[in-house]
Amino acid sequence: MLIREGNILIERMNNFMDIKKQGFATRQIHAGKESNSAGALCTPIYQTSTFEFDSVEQGGNRFAGTEDGYIYTRLGNPSTARVEAIIAELEGGEAALATASGMGAISAALWSLIEAGDEIIADETLYGCTYALLAHGLTKFGVNVKFIDMADPSNLKDALSDKTKVVYFETPCNPTLKVIDIEETAKTAHEYNSNICVVVDNTFATPYLQRPLELGADVVVHSATKYLNGHGDVIAGVIVGKADFITTCRMFGVKDMTGAVMSPFNAFLMQRGLKTLDIRMERHCANAMKVAEFLHDHPAVDKVYYPGLKDFEGYEIAKKQMSLPGAVLSIELKADREKTAAALNKLELCTIAVSLGSDETLVEHAASMTHSTYTPEELKAANISEGLVRISIGLEDPEDIIADFKRILDELI
Ligand code: LCS
């Protein structure tokens, strides 16, 4: 690689240091760093739809894959390549593909894996639109989808069949924070058939807390809209896995099937957000633990769902596979749905909004918002109660978040 130092062009190894041996913080800042003609410290926003070829032959070679180089931003762009390099490095995957949204990542990955007649086994508790894609979208094209509770690995054993191509789950799950044993689930699927692709949505944990590929999963997907970007200003996604599979996702799943490509500008914001992933996650989780303990002991609160609480069902598995319990929690209040809504409307610091993983604390009612794609019967089957309130704990001072909740909850006693 050529880099400019003063007026002299010098050659330097691309891997100027062995990035694999560096710590998480170093890698989130330095992975995938390449020189550019201006010597810009940060990867620039390559705001271009297409790339010049020196000749017709060169263009042809790039299309044929016999020569490296960029072609058209739907197929790749240096700004998005930087994000892909960082996330692949942090998740421990061979490669990654940046997408326009989390749903873009999930749909591009699934379109790349399945065909009519195949079967997907999915956990029954999923982000609402993922559930809709599986239950109402892919089933229109001859794909069979079975929903089971993967918290009990024996359910997967019973559900697997010779048609199973994909095992799909989130952990912790949106919105109940249910925890699924990644190692056990991947082992069960692969023992049945080593070709089954185990896909884990790692949005709630991020690679700072949990790395599914190291635990036996084949593919990781993310809504990078959340913690990976971290500032509530981008919609983005990413797929991580083996290099061959990521190439299929790029050259078929995104290029032909979804077109869900990340924009260079969003890639720039992503790259910027990723630099602080570890310190943000530390603070998010520390804040969440304090708020969870407060809510747990408040008399107006019936139940707290948070993997960091010892009496939470998923506590032990979370402890085994996550370095910290995350920063999303859900609660059920003793008050009915109407009184719960009236109380939440009085929050002043915390904002009523969907999404999560932002710097701000966001509060939402799952049944009427993120999980409104589920029918009341489906909500019940997925253990998502009608009154469930999900809170994404932000980076504010925890005392202020607690004070905001204390004020509205005290009125309900
Ligand atoms: N996976 C999970 C676990 C999610 O929570 C979401 C979005 C997605 C995938 C889809 O990602 P997107 O396309 O939005 O980037 N979750 C949302 C939520 O809970 N509230 O608003 C969006």
Side-chain angles (χ1 to χ4, degrees):
M1 162 172 61
L2 291 174
I3 58 165
R4 192 179 290 278
E5 217 174 67
N7 283 330
I8 312 159
L9 277 175
I10 56 162
E11 205 156 302
R12 194 164 74 162
M13 292 277 293
N14 187 2
N15 279 339
F16 58 96
M17 54 191 174
D18 188 353
I19 197 89
K20 302 264 176 241
K21 292 201 184 119
Q22 310 285 340
F24 192 97
T26 306
R27 289 181 291 133
Q28 75 190 359
I29 294 167
H30 288 276
K33 197 165 172 179
E34 286 192 2
S35 62
N36 53 81
S37 58
L41 179 69
C42 301
T43 303
I45 307 172
Y46 287 89
Q47 192 67 34
T48 183
S49 49
T50 196
F51 296 84
E52 291 179 14
F53 304 134
D54 290 342
S55 64
V56 172
E57 289 73 22
Q58 185 184 53
N61 291 340
R62 288 197 186 169
F63 269 87
T66 53
E67 182 189 306
D68 282 345
Y70 293 100
I71 298 173
Y72 186 64
T73 286
R74 178 154 41 77
L75 282 61
N77 173 293
S79 304
T80 51
R82 179 75 202 279
V83 172
E84 289 162 355
I86 299 169
I87 298 175
E89 179 57 45
L90 298 180
E91 283 286 4
E94 284 180 10
L97 175 63
T99 57
S101 64
M103 288 313 299
I106 295 163
S107 52
L110 292 177
W111 283 126
S112 301
L113 283 165
I114 45 138
E115 54 188 52
D118 288 343
E119 176 181 87
I120 299 175
I121 303 179
D123 184 70
E124 61 199 1
T125 309
L126 296 164
Y127 166 56
C129 298
T130 307
Y131 179 76
L133 169 70
L134 291 168
H136 311 304
L138 297 180
T139 47
K140 288 205 317 193
F141 301 93
V143 176
N144 184 33
V145 186
K146 282 185 197 161
F147 293 98
I148 62 164
D149 178 9
M150 290 192 196
D152 178 354
S154 70
N155 292 337
L156 178 60
K157 241 180 214 156
D158 296 341
L160 287 161
S161 81
D162 58 3
K163 296 252 187 322
T164 310
K165 265 274 178 66
V166 174
V167 167
Y168 187 98
F169 60 98
E170 302 169 358
T171 183
C173 296
N174 188 353
T176 61
L177 286 307
K178 177 171 76 171
V179 178
I180 294 168
D181 189 325
I182 300 171
E183 197 170 16
E184 195 60 34
T185 306
K187 200 169 118 215
T188 304
H190 290 146
E191 271 174 9
Y192 185 85
N193 177 352
S194 59
N195 291 325
I196 290 174
C197 186
V198 176
V199 183
V200 179
D201 184 328
N202 201 26
T203 299
F204 273 39
T206 82
Y208 185 61
L209 307 187
Q210 167 177 285
R211 285 181 292 280
L213 300 178
E214 289 174 6
L215 299 169
D218 300 294
V219 172
V220 163
V221 290
H222 275 278
S223 170
T225 310
K226 311 299 184 317
Y227 297 104
L228 293 184
N229 177 61
H231 295 75
D233 49 12
V234 158
I235 295 283
V238 68
I239 312 170
V240 193
K242 289 256 187 304
D244 280 1
F245 176 66
I246 295 302
T247 301
T248 306
C249 291
R250 183 187 300 282
M251 300 311 285
F252 177 69
V254 166
K255 179 172 85 62
D256 301 338
M257 298 300 280
T258 62
V261 61
M262 181 184 285
S263 74
F265 182 64
N266 280 356
F268 169 77
L269 290 173
M270 282 294 312
Q271 173 222 177
R272 182 178 164 142
L274 281 163
K275 291 180 191 200
T276 53
L277 178 62
D278 66 334
I279 50 178
R280 286 188 286 105
M281 291 314 291
E282 290 281 348
R283 176 66 179 259
H284 273 298
C285 295
N287 281 3
M289 195 67 221
K290 286 184 187 151
V291 178
E293 279 169 351
F294 161 77
L295 291 169
H296 184 267
D297 296 339
H298 196 284
V301 178
D302 193 25
K303 195 161 176 197
V304 180
Y305 301 76
Y306 182 59
L309 292 173
K310 285 204 176 81
D311 60 5
F312 184 66
E313 218 177 314
Y315 176 79
E316 287 302 332
I317 296 169
K319 221 168 97 181
K320 184 177 88 160
Q321 66 189 19
M322 300 173 77
S323 58
L324 289 168
V328 182
L329 55 90
S330 289
I331 54 172
E332 281 167 32
L333 300 186
K334 289 178 185 157
D336 64 19
R337 188 164 159 174
E338 212 174 297
K339 285 199 181 115
T340 297
L344 295 177
N345 288 340
K346 291 185 198 154
L347 284 167
E348 287 171 0
L349 177 72
C350 305
T351 304
I352 305 203
V354 294
S355 203
L356 55 105
S358 176
D359 47 323
E360 292 193 37
T361 297
L362 305 177
V363 183
E364 69 113 11
H365 175 243
S368 67
M369 298 177 192
T370 50
H371 290 72
S372 54
T373 55
Y374 281 72
T375 63
E377 296 72 38
E378 289 166 341
L379 283 175
K380 215 167 170 193
N383 287 315
I384 303 168
S385 74
E386 285 283 334
L388 196 82
V389 174
R390 193 190 70 192
I391 309 166
S392 167
I393 303 297
L395 299 172
E396 301 95 338
D397 290 293
E399 299 75 23
D400 294 330
I401 304 170
I402 289 170
D404 206 22
F405 275 98
K406 183 170 181 343
R407 191 174 38 75
I408 65 155
L409 293 176
D410 285 354
E411 280 183 26
L412 291 173
I413 306 170

